[in-house]
Amino acid sequence: MSTQYPKIKNDPLRAFPLDMAMQAEQIVVPAGEHRAITLSPMTGKTVYTVEVAAGASLTLLLASTYADDAYRLVEVRATVGKDASFHLVDRVLGGARIESRITVELSSSGAEGMVTGMYHGKRQQHHACHVVVHHAVPHTHGDVYVRSVYEDQARAVFTGLISIAPDAQQTASYYRDDVLLLDDALAESLPTLEIEANDVKASHGSTTSRINDEQMFYLTSRGIPHDQARALIVAGFLTPALKRVPEALCKPFLQTD
């Protein structure tokens, strides 16, 4: 399985403690079954190994809110079988440094992999999300969409790699991350394509924007307090990512800090 993430020139995030505890968990969805699983990763390092067998589907929701002094590193390593689908939804609030490393291996024809990320950092919080989607065979589909908001002096790094093997013709894959920055927050994004086949559809995109003064003026001029107006803009920015989550599973993602 490919785990080669794009490298950041200078990682602006604080280092992880050297003594982080580690745990591992395996998730297997047998052929033809359809499951939705919600997990709340705790502090330390957790590795999830996921196997979605032929004709099966899995929606895996990771939803956690962390204290300002929390450190967490989560790795998700997913293999998706023939005509199977996998959707990872990662929702992160808070934390001293919270990092997600996601690898989706589309190893059989008809395999589909989706990743939806929603991240919100404030104060001195640091986040990172690294995604690799590897298309190993023809007729596979990948879709990565990340939306994040950072306030105060928060920091974030996002990398995304779409890797298409020489034999993986008739493949479609997309990566996009959109970041909204407020105050003195900073974020770095690095989307990357590695395409070795010639009959594919693949694209990547990244936008970083500041809060819209016209939106703030519109809301505050109608009597909405500044802090509430700001919260409305933040919620509205994250909504397109939230809409990708099945409605019945949305509750863990509606919390804000």
Side-chain angles (χ1 to χ4, degrees):
M1 180 181 294
S2 173
T3 54
Q4 185 64 45
Y5 301 98
K7 296 192 179 202
I8 301 295
K9 292 181 184 176
N10 294 299
D11 188 345
L13 306 183
R14 59 175 61 93
F16 283 111
L18 297 177
D19 59 348
M20 287 178 64
M22 177 178 172
Q23 58 181 339
E25 182 173 340
Q26 187 173 32
I27 301 170
V28 178
V29 183
E33 291 197 10
H34 306 282
R35 295 183 183 176
I37 299 173
T38 300
L39 301 172
S40 296
M42 304 306 291
T43 55
K45 180 177 180 179
T46 305
V47 178
Y48 296 105
T49 302
V50 179
E51 296 180 19
V52 186
S57 68
L58 171 63
T59 301
L60 178 60
L61 300 94
L62 305 181
S64 294
T65 299
Y66 299 94
D68 282 351
D69 61 350
Y71 288 82
R72 185 219 76 176
L73 172 61
V74 165
E75 291 192 25
V76 179
R77 305 168 183 171
T79 302
V80 188
K82 180 176 176 58
D83 297 324
S85 66
F86 172 64
H87 185 187
L88 173 66
V89 185
D90 191 25
R91 174 67 158 117
V92 170
L93 299 170
R97 176 166 181 175
I98 308 298
E99 182 165 322
S100 302
R101 300 176 183 175
I102 302 159
T103 304
V104 180
E105 182 85 8
L106 302 175
S107 59
S108 299
S109 177
E112 296 184 358
M114 288 180 63
V115 177
T116 301
M118 289 173 281
Y119 306 95
H120 189 181
K122 296 182 178 181
R123 297 178 286 281
Q124 302 289 334
Q125 298 164 0
H126 288 190
H127 292 167
C129 176
H130 308 294
V131 182
V132 174
V133 179
H134 181 221
H135 299 263
V137 299
H139 304 289
T140 53
H141 183 266
D143 182 4
V144 180
Y145 187 42
V146 176
R147 281 228 154 187
S148 56
V149 178
Y150 291 96
E151 307 181 49
D152 306 316
Q153 289 80 43
R155 299 288 184 268
V157 171
F158 298 94
T159 69
L161 171 62
I162 295 172
S163 175
I164 301 177
D167 295 332
Q169 306 290 355
Q170 303 277 312
T171 281
S173 197
Y174 310 96
Y175 173 93
R176 183 173 184 85
D177 71 69
D178 297 316
V179 184
L180 177 65
L181 299 177
L182 296 83
D183 310 312
D184 296 320
L186 295 175
E188 181 175 351
S189 296
L190 183 62
T192 308
L193 299 176
E194 273 184 10
I195 301 174
E196 298 182 84
N198 57 18
D199 185 11
V200 302
K201 293 180 180 178
S203 66
H204 62 68
S206 176
T207 65
T208 301
S209 59
R210 293 281 173 179
I211 198 164
N212 190 315
D213 291 338
E214 292 183 2
Q215 288 179 309
M216 285 294 297
F217 177 78
Y218 177 86
L219 293 171
T220 56
S221 65
R222 281 153 179 77
I224 299 175
H226 182 274
D227 288 349
Q228 185 179 349
R230 180 164 154 151
L232 287 171
I233 292 173
V234 168
F237 185 83
L238 294 172
T239 294
L242 184 63
K243 286 182 176 179
R244 289 164 56 99
V245 182
E247 186 174 354
L249 304 175
C250 279
K251 187 175 180 181
F253 301 94
L254 298 177
Q255 180 184 5
T256 58
D257 62 347

